[in-house]
Amino acid sequence: MEFTKNLARVSALALGIAGVLAYGDVHAAAFQLKENSVKAQGRAMAGAASAKGDASVVVNNPAVMSTFTERTLQADVTAIDLSYTFSGNGTAATGTPFQQPLTGGNGGDAGDVAAVPAASFILPLSGDFEYLTLGAMISAPFGLKTEYDAGWVGRYHALESDVKIIDLTLAASLELSDSFSIGAGLVYEHADVTLSQAVDFGTVICGQNPAACLTPGSPYGPQRNDGLAHVNGTDNGWGWIVGVNWRPSEKWSLGYSHRSEIDHELEGDGDFTVPPAVRTAFDANPLTRPLFLDGGALAKLTTPAVDTFSATYYATDRFTVMAEASRTDWTSLQEIRIEFDNPGQPDSAEEYNWAENWFYSIGGEYKFSDAFTFRAGVARDDSPVSRPYRTPRLPDQDRMWYSLGLTWALSEHFEINASYVKIDIVDTPEVDLTTSTRARLVGEFDGGADLYGVSMQYRF
């Protein structure tokens, strides 16, 4: 019975739906993406929820939409050049008579170049509705992609992780006075997750029949019968955002926004590649026959709530200073429970125990002329992931942002923005974890990212 429970844990880990929370990017804590505004990126996102003239406020703080007097269309795209390399080793069948060093290379560079797009539109109304402003925006608040070489030393922990979460936000802003406005929006969110990893079926067979692993020339044993688990799951969910914007004087703009949690039930198919000899051995035992069969699975996922506090100070007609602090409540991710369509396969739960994290930034911009504005910023982004829960899918650690940006106003109505962000890891991310098949991986990651953004804005 204990062996059956262990196999259930192995199958849950192999299926990897829970891996959506163990996969992320290096440019925002956990798997959060902040790249919805090239202009804000140029100042390390400082003032994103309070500064005027950036249509991305539809999702950063809809209350600021009231400061727009013209219909505005904005399109942003950021190329993220992500790099992660591993150095370390490990053991297969750790703590058993069959223990041996893990084979394989370092996995290569797990990162890649990915594009994160965003598009927004703001529509100030007139006449009897002149105090009302409407907005719409498409953005990607979470996700990215990482992939390791097929035979790498950590293949039992992660191979491919591809997470795409896309939002459509419809918002409205109401100007209550010349200095105060409120805003609210409805968020429709689509999640699409694809994950894969190797499964050490040779070690699983050793747990079922130790004698088979001791037989000379036996095909059973650690790392002798690797299989593959691959899963894809999708879901749609609803959330909301609210915000306020207070402008106590011509020099100050203060903002606060709250984005709600969004609940998902990821439904998908788990596909298992099981070596023929292993499948035969499973089928011969009534306790293991139902396991590692292709079929449906479900996992609940809650994307976190986000609170943002923002300030913008227009020191002169040319110089502006911004600051921002945001809290992402990753405590919503304490456990992920996998439910299988296969009645012979018990539920399995994975612990995450993530904490909340804070992002702090300060930046500014200087208007050299009517045509050119330069901006810069720096930020500190704390990670919600502690060492016991760090995995190769997310070797997450605290990081620093260093940002530069430029606006070129080609006319009174049309402008182009560009930004560059360098992200450095503060401390070396270390991992020391063991899978249900007793594969232990120990080592560290060297990572970072370069962000290249470009956007255009047209005011009608």
Side-chain angles (χ1 to χ4, degrees):
M1 182 62 69
E2 182 63 28
F3 175 68
T4 303
K5 292 180 180 179
N6 289 336
L7 276 184
R9 296 191 192 101
V10 172
S11 62
L13 185 63
L15 181 61
I17 293 179
V20 65
L21 302 182
Y23 164 68
D25 53 86
V26 73
H27 53 286
F31 58 96
Q32 185 177 15
L33 293 170
K34 288 184 175 292
E35 288 73 22
N36 57 37
S37 166
V38 169
K39 187 178 287 187
Q41 284 165 213
R43 51 182 189 261
M45 303 306 294
S50 60
K52 302 175 184 178
D54 188 344
S56 69
V57 292
V58 174
V59 298
N60 291 323
N61 183 0
V64 184
M65 294 193 305
S66 289
T67 62
F68 282 75
T69 59
E70 300 169 305
R71 290 174 295 163
T72 302
L73 176 66
Q74 183 171 308
D76 298 73
V77 63
T78 301
I80 302 171
D81 186 3
L82 170 67
S83 176
Y84 264 136
T85 56
F86 175 78
S87 60
N89 50 50
T91 53
T94 302
T96 74
F98 317 106
Q99 179 174 317
Q100 59 183 243
L102 283 172
T103 61
N106 69 351
D109 190 342
D112 202 349
V113 179
V116 178
S120 50
F121 179 70
I122 292 179
L123 175 64
L125 300 184
S126 58
D128 294 338
F129 300 97
E130 63 179 342
Y131 299 110
L132 187 65
T133 304
L134 305 180
M137 185 166 180
I138 298 174
S139 59
F142 302 101
L144 198 60
K145 180 175 181 179
T146 189
E147 188 170 5
Y148 295 91
D149 295 341
W152 84 293
V153 68
R155 59 193 177 277
Y156 303 127
H157 297 82
L159 285 173
E160 179 187 7
S161 304
D162 190 355
V163 179
K164 301 182 183 74
I165 297 181
I166 301 173
D167 285 3
L168 169 62
T169 303
L170 302 176
S173 176
L174 179 64
E175 188 176 21
L176 299 179
S177 70
D178 291 340
S179 62
F180 191 79
S181 58
I182 59 175
L186 185 65
V187 182
Y188 176 74
E189 186 168 88
H190 175 73
D192 187 335
V193 180
T194 300
L195 301 150
S196 69
Q197 65 191 76
V199 182
D200 187 2
F201 285 112
T203 294
V204 174
I205 292 295
C206 288
Q208 180 184 14
N209 185 4
C213 295
L214 296 174
T215 303
S218 169
Y220 303 123
Q223 307 182 89
R224 295 183 190 174
N225 260 297
D226 281 3
L228 182 69
H230 179 277
V231 66
N232 174 257
T234 62
D235 184 59
N236 301 314
W238 293 91
W240 49 271
I241 183 172
V242 296
V244 296
N245 180 218
W246 180 36
R247 303 171 296 278
S249 70
E250 292 184 357
K251 289 185 174 295
W252 281 99
S253 176
L254 306 175
Y256 165 76
S257 69
H258 174 82
R259 172 193 164 98
S260 75
E261 295 180 351
I262 298 181
D263 295 324
H264 290 281
E265 290 191 355
L266 295 170
E267 296 185 20
D269 297 314
D271 297 322
F272 299 96
T273 302
V274 183
V278 175
R279 185 75 266 168
T280 299
F282 281 170
D283 290 344
N285 186 334
L287 294 178
T288 60
R289 188 178 302 135
L291 300 175
F292 298 104
L293 299 176
D294 293 350
L298 178 147
K300 295 181 179 179
L301 162 68
T302 300
T303 56
V306 182
D307 292 281
T308 301
F309 306 87
S310 183
T312 297
Y313 177 62
Y314 299 94
T316 69
D317 291 341
R318 294 185 177 273
F319 182 57
T320 306
V321 180
M322 294 89 158
E324 191 127 356
S326 64
R327 181 186 71 99
T328 304
D329 190 9
W330 291 106
T331 60
S332 61
L333 304 180
Q334 297 299 299
E335 176 192 79
I336 295 298
R337 179 168 297 275
I338 314 296
E339 301 175 9
F340 302 97
D341 289 353
N342 179 359
Q345 193 158 280
D347 293 352
S348 183
E350 294 290 329
E351 269 192 288
Y352 285 85
N353 291 321
W354 284 10
E356 65 180 30
N357 87 284
W358 282 88
F359 177 92
Y360 309 94
S361 65
I362 186 168
E365 55 187 35
Y366 184 80
K367 189 172 183 178
F368 286 100
S369 65
D370 291 340
F372 291 100
T373 300
F374 174 78
R375 55 184 60 89
V378 63
R380 166 83 181 206
D381 195 8
D382 294 334
S383 171
V385 183
S386 59
R387 189 174 186 271
Y389 303 99
R390 188 179 297 130
T391 82
R393 294 191 190 275
L394 180 56
D396 196 40
Q397 185 56 278
D398 300 344
R399 73 289 308 276
M400 294 293 298
W401 290 44
Y402 305 99
S403 304
L404 296 173
L406 179 70
T407 292
W408 179 21
L410 284 79
S411 71
E412 182 181 352
H413 299 282
F414 183 68
E415 68 179 33
I416 295 175
N417 301 283
S419 68
Y420 169 72
V421 181
K422 177 68 175 178
I423 297 181
D424 288 332
I425 304 297
V426 174
D427 296 312
T428 301
E430 298 178 347
V431 294
D432 184 352
L433 66 162
T434 304
T435 69
S436 298
T437 55
R438 307 192 69 82
R440 183 186 181 192
L441 185 69
V442 181
E444 61 185 35
F445 285 84
D446 182 22
D450 295 287
L451 279 58
Y452 306 91
V454 62
S455 73
M456 75 87 183
Q457 184 188 99
Y458 186 79
R459 295 181 297 277
F460 293 87

